[in-house]
């Protein structure tokens, strides 16, 4: 998954403003206690980050 696709999916699922806020502020235990932005900067693939976000927020399978 490309970073642009990841960001688009975040915006589609949560809205642009909330997606940016979640990426910057929400700490995910599945990402080693990192935010989305920190996880991506640390080199965790966007697909893994998206899976962690989907699990944490119960995103339906058809939108994963």
């Amino acid at each position: 998954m490309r970073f642009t696709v990841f960001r688009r999916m975040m915006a589609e699922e949560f809205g642009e403003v909330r997606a940016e806020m979640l990426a910057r502020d929400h700490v995910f235990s599945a990402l080693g206690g990192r935010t989305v932005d920190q996880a991506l900067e640390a080199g965790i693939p966007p697909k893994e980050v998206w899976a962690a976000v989907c699990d944490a927020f119960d995103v339906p399978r058809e939108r994963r």
Side-chain angles (χ1 to χ4, degrees), residues 1-53:
M1 172 185 291
R2 294 178 179 253
F3 288 101
T4 55
V5 172
F6 172 80
R7 294 291 183 184
R8 180 177 45 85
M9 291 175 76
M10 285 282 290
E12 288 174 358
E13 186 63 35
F14 301 106
E16 285 187 38
V17 173
R18 186 167 182 228
E20 289 176 19
M21 194 171 61
L22 283 174
R24 182 186 63 236
D25 299 331
H26 189 88
V27 175
F28 293 84
S29 59
L31 297 175
R34 297 178 179 98
T35 66
V36 164
D37 290 342
Q38 291 169 337
L40 293 171
E41 288 174 15
I44 298 174
K47 187 174 183 175
E48 288 181 35
V49 176
W50 178 243
V53 171

